[in-house]
Amino acid sequence: DLAGNTTVETVDYTVVYDTDAPTVTVSANTQPNAAGWFNQPVTYSFECDDPSGVAACPSPVTISTDGADQTVTVTASDRFGNTADTIHSGINIDRTRPTIQATAPATVEPADTLTINCSATDALSGIAETDCATIQRDATSLNPGLNTFTFTATDLAGNTTTTTTIVNLHVDIEGIAELIA
């Protein structure tokens, strides 16, 4: 000061220099089945960490659209402006049931051959299993009256469809005599 007094003060500073991007951990509210498919919407949550402090961590993202190999891309940042883009790919969602097309005559006579054509398709994940197949047999193997045939198909995502086809075995007096003979 003007009187000639001097004071010395020592201050220690820590300089923090951060060039590393934050880390992002991804977790899902559900897991895909063994074939790698979801048959419901899936929500991804993100946890971020950075030694200098996280400035922004992504909010949860829900994927509900049917599609194969979908991707979620998010960005996290720390207090120094370093960013980390996280890409989570390979998301397969199929919420649509397979389609079964079964065609059969409404009525057959005892002397007829019954043919039921059946096909199962799934436009996205594909058919995993089905009992849908063409049936061909003598109508005499049916019970008189209404006969119900049931077909089921399951896709790789686990969606199942069941359909029935009804065939009437028309038997009149002459038909009964034919069945007995």
Side-chain angles (χ1 to χ4, degrees):
D1 63 14
L2 292 175
N5 300 316
T6 305
T7 301
V8 176
E9 189 173 322
T10 304
V11 178
D12 292 328
Y13 291 98
T14 301
V15 176
V16 177
Y17 183 72
D18 181 4
T19 60
D20 294 329
T23 59
V24 180
T25 304
V26 181
S27 61
N29 66 330
T30 185
Q31 296 300 310
N33 66 16
W37 287 89
F38 295 97
N39 64 5
Q40 62 187 6
V42 59
T43 299
Y44 290 95
S45 298
F46 309 95
E47 187 175 313
C48 303
D49 188 38
D50 191 273
S52 64
V54 174
C57 191
S59 298
V61 174
T62 299
I63 306 294
S64 59
T65 304
D66 283 3
D69 201 25
Q70 298 180 71
T71 301
V72 171
T73 303
V74 295
T75 301
S77 61
D78 66 15
R79 293 182 337 160
F80 286 91
N82 300 307
T83 60
D85 291 330
T86 300
I87 300 170
H88 187 72
S89 61
I91 304 165
N92 300 314
I93 299 177
D94 182 357
R95 299 179 304 147
T96 305
R97 294 177 184 204
T99 302
I100 298 176
Q101 181 70 27
T103 56
T107 301
V108 292
E109 299 294 329
D112 294 341
T113 298
L114 169 65
T115 301
I116 299 175
N117 292 307
C118 186
S119 63
T121 58
D122 187 81
L124 191 53
S125 64
I127 297 294
E129 61 182 87
T130 185
D131 61 4
C132 181
T134 297
I135 296 173
Q136 193 164 28
R137 64 172 72 154
D138 290 335
T140 57
S141 68
L142 302 176
N143 294 319
L146 301 178
N147 293 266
T148 302
F149 295 87
T150 303
F151 302 100
T152 303
T154 302
D155 66 18
L156 288 169
N159 302 301
T160 299
T161 297
T162 300
T163 191
T164 58
T165 297
I166 298 174
V167 177
N168 180 31
L169 175 58
H170 178 256
V171 180
D172 57 18
I173 298 297
E174 292 173 17
I176 292 174
E178 193 175 308
L179 283 174
I180 295 172

